[in-house]
Amino acid sequence: MTAEAANGCEERAGRGRNVSHQHNAEAGGWQPEGFRMAEWDADLDCIVPSSVLPPFWAKLVVGFVSLVCFARSYDGDFVFDDSEAIVNNKDLRAETPLGDLWHHDFWGSRLSSNTSHKSYRPLTVLTFRMNYCLSGGFHPASFHVVNILLHSGVSVLLVDVFSVLLGGLQYTSKGRRLNLAPRSSVLAALLFAVHPVHTECVAGVVGRADLLGALFFLLSFLGYCKALREANKEGTHSTCWVLLSILLGAVAMLCKEQGITVLGLNAVFDILVIGKLNVLEIVQKVLRKGGSLENLGVLRNGGLLFRMALLALGGAGMLFVRWRIMGTGPPAFTEVDNPASFADSMLVRAINYNYYYSLNAWLLLCPWWLCFDWSMGCIPLIKSAGDWRVIAPAALWFCLIGLICQALCSEDSHKRRMLTLGLGFLIIPFLPASNLFFRVGFVVAERALYLPSAGYCMLLTCGLGALSRLTKRKKLIAALVLGILFINTLRCVIRSGEWRTEDQLFRSALSVCPLNAKVHYNVGKNLADKGNQTAAIRYYREAVRLNPKYVHAMNNLGNILKERNELQEAEQLLSLAVQIQPDFAAAWMNLGIVQNSLKRFQAAEQSYRTAIKHRRKYPDCYYNLGRLYADLNRHVDALNAWRNATMLKPEHSLAWNNMIILLDNTGNLAQAEAVGREALELIPDDHSLMFSLANVLGKSQKYKESEALFLKAIKAHPNGASYHGNLAVLYHRWGHLDLAKKHYEISLRLDPTASGTKENYGLLRRKLEQMQKKDV
């Protein structure tokens, strides 16, 4: 709608009924409600100035503000779930066939696997793959920029969506859709654009699933509106646009499961706005003695019933295909993911679910305390009615019931429509995360509020309009709205900064969820990766204290204690971890390493075998098993174990090296040379393999070839003292004594404590002195 059209609505609103009857003839009898809408929207004039009402400027302002909020995250790292969904996801690599994306889940695992989370989002993964190919690898900035632009696009698109939801679907005689709510649609879109709860979706790359799902969700809704362009004529619509809307809903679902709920919003909009269903009238007819529903226009509207049938069939078809793709049924979540869903009492489950709903509502109302993860004891269960937290769900339902009563029973049809559609947009997209139909794998998830927050922004805009209408202090209302927008923008900027690195993200959660064991675990893991083991131990211990069954924290803590030679406690922790989770392959392997260090070889072998039983493709475990066999002088078994490791992981340098060294030490030089050459073909730039093979060639008196490999290894790793020392030995044997002297001296300069090099250098010096005496 143009600026002139918007202002025209205001002028007609002030002139009275005569003009409304004039437009009644042109636009099909809609002006009385348009009259009230223009009057209601004009009350927001003090908040949204006329200068931003033209569609281009309105969308430009909304898009710019949304970019300002989250631009700080553009150069952030891959954090939290980004590692698994992107960096470690083989579906992004060019060597993975594109067809595999349709058989894998969001994390790159086969959907048929029992360990799959069944999150089927192939179109989102496809955009990750395109990012990877176009940017030439895993460059986080390119991924973040796409997310920021997508959020901006969704915010801009919401200007059109809100104009329909708040102002109705009205057209001029020339077929142009009128924006009867220019101020309120811009305000609602601005409130959405700056909402801090969106930071997880925008600043976390995996949030692209929610952004893409929302984008196609809104396109589906606008497509459905196109289908209803001539629905004021009895029973008419565009079936092609209805089918296109359903197709866009399916695309939204392939980006994020939540996308299918657009069909519900389309149905509610069609029934309330196009069908003009009046729930209050229906209730009155039912309660009236002898009342009949046969005269309801909705039941006689064949076009509406046909569209509802199409939406129902489309939704059923999507759900059926989705269920077939899942293959083995719903995903299996653990109690720590969603403790309320594992409660024995239905009453306890119901109370806690409602408490979770109230927390989600609070995040929309006051998005100041945000956390990347709300599980692992962050929100303790409510187990009795005496818990003061039951006040929260009571307050939530008090507000919801009040809004529902106003939405259903108000005599103002425009108010009924706005409140009902706002509640529909708030509730319908949230249903998949509500635990009502199936168990979800989280307690509270900020990402699940991305679409529902649009409904909240719509309701908040309605509330601000009503408040502005009831008070004469317009400037105070304007200051309130500007304050909300400014504070939320500031919070978005701050929160985007916290999402730039894992260290900032994890530490920001400590004050919000101090009881969350996963927060302490992630802080500890981040510290351990940086080499600060002492601090990491403290956080790992706190994670285990908060959740005594946290096997991953036990495993990581056991690893650090093993490296610090605190083997007894490490064994206790790892033994407890495998008791709690018997199929935890990594803990079994680490337990085997500890037992090997304690000289408990039989127990170590059993632990390694158990790890391989639970994870058949486990090259690191085969490598450690080979080391055990080497310590026991079971050379054939060691070689077989290392060969298994290299078959499962051809780039396993340590396994190749150990095979070469073992064959060299046992005198099998020809076999050692063959294995070394095979390894270098697979890993041509590995300097440690060059060094090992060079030693073998030197012993086989292939001096020239050995020298070339030594020099190549030294070029790749110039500060390797042993590389220079062994090259010196080669020159010593070869008779190039000056070169031998040079590299002995370099080696000793790099490592003065190397006793073998000292001894060889001493021998060389004595030999050189003898040669000098002879010459004299």
Side-chain angles (χ1 to χ4, degrees):
M1 181 185 177
T2 64
E4 290 76 16
N7 292 331
C9 285
E10 293 176 44
E11 290 168 9
R12 288 194 293 273
R15 291 175 185 168
R17 293 287 186 181
N18 292 334
V19 179
S20 72
H21 288 306
Q22 177 186 343
H23 278 268
N24 188 34
E26 179 181 332
W30 54 264
Q31 187 56 34
E33 186 170 338
F35 176 88
R36 289 194 298 275
M37 182 63 239
E39 192 176 46
W40 180 88
D41 193 67
D43 288 322
L44 295 173
D45 183 50
C46 62
I47 302 172
V48 183
S50 300
S51 58
V52 298
L53 292 183
F56 173 77
W57 289 106
K59 292 176 180 178
L60 185 64
V61 168
V62 170
F64 176 74
V65 170
S66 66
L67 290 176
V68 168
C69 287
F70 300 104
R72 193 179 176 191
S73 66
Y74 89 95
D75 61 345
D77 299 332
F78 289 122
V79 297
F80 196 40
D81 287 338
D82 295 348
S83 299
E84 288 302 315
I86 298 169
V87 180
N88 298 330
N89 191 344
K90 293 182 180 179
D91 286 344
L92 271 63
R93 270 88 166 177
E95 59 268 20
T96 302
L98 277 173
D100 285 5
L101 271 64
W102 301 93
H103 302 287
H104 293 174
D105 65 16
F106 187 54
W107 313 96
S109 302
R110 292 199 68 84
L111 279 165
S112 56
S113 169
N114 291 330
T115 59
S116 171
H117 278 199
K118 313 297 182 184
S119 45
Y120 187 61
R121 304 162 194 171
L123 295 184
T124 302
V125 178
L126 183 61
T127 67
F128 290 154
R129 182 163 174 153
M130 291 169 64
N131 247 136
Y132 175 80
C133 293
L134 293 175
S135 62
F138 293 113
H139 303 292
S142 66
F143 289 81
H144 284 296
V145 167
V146 171
N147 273 29
I148 295 168
L149 293 175
L150 280 172
H151 173 66
S152 184
V154 169
S155 301
V156 168
L157 207 56
L158 274 168
V159 176
D160 288 331
V161 172
F162 284 138
S163 73
V164 175
L165 293 173
L166 290 165
L169 188 62
Q170 307 294 349
Y171 293 88
T172 66
S173 57
K174 295 181 180 180
R176 175 180 291 178
R177 183 174 62 81
L178 293 173
N179 184 352
L180 297 178
R183 291 178 176 83
S184 51
S185 59
V186 170
L187 178 57
L190 281 172
L191 289 168
F192 177 88
V194 304
H195 205 297
V197 84
H198 300 155
T199 313
E200 179 177 356
C201 293
V202 184
V205 180
V206 294
R208 188 178 300 180
D210 299 270
L211 300 171
L212 286 170
L215 179 69
F216 288 103
F217 182 104
L218 300 179
L219 289 173
S220 174
F221 175 77
L222 291 173
Y224 197 78
C225 292
K226 284 276 191 181
L228 303 174
R229 181 174 174 177
E230 299 182 4
N232 286 322
K233 299 175 184 178
E234 188 66 29
T236 61
H237 61 262
S238 170
T239 303
C240 289
W241 275 105
V242 174
L243 294 175
L244 180 60
S245 172
I246 293 171
L247 177 62
L248 287 169
V251 172
M253 188 182 72
L254 291 174
C255 296
K256 178 72 183 282
E257 294 80 356
Q258 204 175 15
I260 193 175
T261 59
V262 69
L263 303 183
L265 182 67
N266 289 345
V268 169
F269 177 79
D270 199 346
I271 292 169
L272 292 179
V273 178
I274 307 304
K276 294 181 172 62
L277 177 70
N278 187 335
V279 177
L280 179 61
E281 180 186 343
I282 294 175
V283 173
Q284 288 173 344
K285 284 189 176 185
V286 170
L287 295 178
R288 192 181 303 141
K289 192 173 181 179
S292 172
L293 298 178
E294 294 178 2
N295 295 326
L296 283 177
V298 173
L299 299 178
R300 300 197 309 271
N301 189 334
L304 176 63
L305 294 176
F306 178 71
R307 293 192 296 273
M308 292 303 102
L310 282 180
L311 290 175
L313 287 172
M318 289 183 210
L319 290 174
F320 175 75
V321 173
R322 177 77 174 81
W323 185 260
R324 289 296 300 270
I325 289 171
M326 283 171 65
T328 57
F333 296 113
T334 62
E335 187 173 352
V336 294
D337 296 321
N338 186 356
S341 64
F342 286 84
D344 295 329
S345 169
M346 186 178 293
L347 179 62
V348 171
R349 289 200 299 271
I351 290 173
N352 281 280
Y353 287 159
N354 280 275
Y355 181 60
Y356 298 161
Y357 304 155
S358 67
L359 288 176
N360 281 286
W362 182 250
L363 287 176
L364 291 175
L365 286 167
C366 183
W368 200 256
W369 292 276
L370 299 174
C371 185
F372 72 93
D373 187 273
W374 293 82
S375 63
M376 288 271 185
C378 186
I379 305 171
L381 281 179
I382 297 174
K383 297 181 179 179
S384 70
D387 194 317
W388 67 269
R389 290 177 294 164
V390 297
I391 297 172
L396 172 68
W397 279 106
F398 177 80
C399 295
L400 280 178
I401 290 170
L403 285 171
I404 291 168
C405 288
Q406 287 291 311
L408 299 181
C409 303
S410 175
E411 293 182 0
D412 184 341
S413 61
H414 171 66
K415 183 178 179 181
R416 285 202 310 268
R417 190 194 71 222
M418 285 198 306
L419 290 178
T420 306
L421 290 175
L423 286 168
F425 211 150
L426 175 68
I427 295 170
I428 292 172
F430 183 73
L431 288 175
S434 66
N435 286 288
L436 288 177
F437 305 110
F438 47 81
R439 177 185 292 158
V440 298
F442 52 83
V443 177
V444 173
E446 293 161 21
R447 60 187 176 276
L449 294 174
Y450 190 76
L451 267 173
S453 66
Y456 161 76
C457 293
M458 183 177 167
L459 292 173
L460 181 58
T461 302
C462 294
L464 291 169
L467 190 62
S468 180
R469 197 161 55 248
L470 292 173
T471 182
K472 294 180 180 179
R473 298 182 177 180
K474 307 293 185 183
K475 290 184 178 179
L476 185 62
I477 302 300
L480 172 66
V481 174
L482 288 174
I484 292 172
L485 292 174
F486 175 76
I487 291 171
N488 279 1
T489 300
L490 181 63
R491 180 64 177 127
C492 285
V493 172
I494 294 171
R495 186 64 177 157
S496 294
E498 292 172 347
W499 272 86
R500 292 178 71 248
T501 66
E502 285 195 336
D503 183 57
Q504 291 174 293
L505 178 64
F506 298 154
R507 288 187 180 279
S508 70
L510 288 172
S511 59
V512 180
C513 284
L515 299 179
N516 189 334
K518 188 182 286 187
V519 169
H520 293 274
Y521 167 82
N522 279 301
V523 174
K525 187 174 184 297
N526 200 48
L527 288 167
D529 291 342
K530 292 178 178 179
N532 190 349
Q533 292 187 340
T534 304
I537 287 173
R538 186 170 69 253
Y539 283 101
Y540 281 143
R541 289 195 190 281
E542 181 64 9
V544 174
R545 186 189 70 80
L546 291 169
N547 182 2
K549 294 184 178 181
Y550 200 171
V551 292
H552 293 284
M554 294 177 189
N555 180 55
N556 286 17
L557 179 56
N559 268 341
I560 292 180
L561 293 174
K562 173 196 69 183
E563 291 171 13
R564 293 163 71 98
N565 209 33
E566 299 177 30
L567 300 177
Q568 298 296 337
E569 186 181 0
E571 184 181 24
Q572 291 173 6
L573 279 166
L574 293 166
S575 297
L576 180 58
V578 296
Q579 284 177 26
I580 295 169
Q581 187 178 326
D583 62 347
F584 192 2
W588 277 112
M589 182 189 75
N590 290 326
L591 178 60
I593 295 171
V594 172
Q595 290 167 334
N596 192 10
S597 300
L598 290 168
K599 309 298 182 185
R600 297 177 54 205
F601 300 121
Q602 189 173 354
E605 181 180 6
Q606 184 60 42
S607 295
Y608 289 142
R609 290 291 181 190
T610 307
I612 293 168
K613 173 186 172 185
H614 293 299
R615 189 192 297 178
R616 295 190 180 280
K617 296 180 179 180
Y618 204 173
D620 287 343
C621 194
Y622 276 111
Y623 166 73
N624 284 302
L625 181 61
R627 287 188 59 189
L628 169 68
Y629 289 145
D631 290 343
L632 296 173
N633 292 321
R634 293 166 59 179
H635 297 155
V636 175
D637 290 334
L639 290 170
N640 288 335
W642 289 327
R643 176 58 73 176
N644 283 333
T646 57
M647 288 174 65
L648 293 170
K649 186 179 177 182
E651 67 276 15
H652 204 303
S653 173
L654 288 173
W656 284 115
N657 251 315
N658 279 20
M659 275 197 282
I660 298 168
I661 293 167
L662 179 60
L663 290 167
D664 181 1
N665 291 342
T666 53
N668 297 304
L669 295 180
Q671 196 176 349
E673 181 181 340
V675 170
R677 294 187 187 281
E678 182 185 355
L680 274 178
E681 282 184 15
L682 293 168
I683 322 171
D685 298 323
D686 191 303
H687 57 80
S688 63
L689 289 175
M690 298 174 196
F691 173 71
S692 297
L693 180 56
N695 282 326
V696 173
L697 292 171
K699 290 181 182 179
S700 301
Q701 297 183 352
K702 297 179 180 180
Y703 297 132
K704 196 69 179 173
E705 197 174 355
S706 176
E707 178 194 29
L709 278 175
F710 271 130
L711 292 173
K712 195 174 178 182
I714 288 170
K715 184 178 179 181
H717 184 53
N719 294 325
S722 59
Y723 290 15
H724 288 279
N726 282 31
L727 176 58
V729 171
L730 175 74
Y731 283 137
H732 198 157
R733 289 177 181 168
W734 199 0
H736 298 320
L737 302 184
D738 290 336
L739 287 172
K741 181 175 181 293
K742 171 188 170 184
H743 283 280
Y744 277 137
E745 289 171 351
I746 295 173
S747 178
L748 288 170
R749 191 163 60 246
L750 291 169
D751 182 13
T753 62
S755 57
T757 306
K758 281 182 181 179
E759 184 179 343
N760 289 333
Y761 183 49
L763 290 172
L764 176 65
R765 288 183 63 181
R766 285 194 292 273
K767 187 172 184 179
L768 288 171
E769 288 171 1
Q770 289 172 1
M771 290 174 65
Q772 285 176 352
K773 287 178 182 179
K774 278 186 179 181
D775 291 340
V776 171

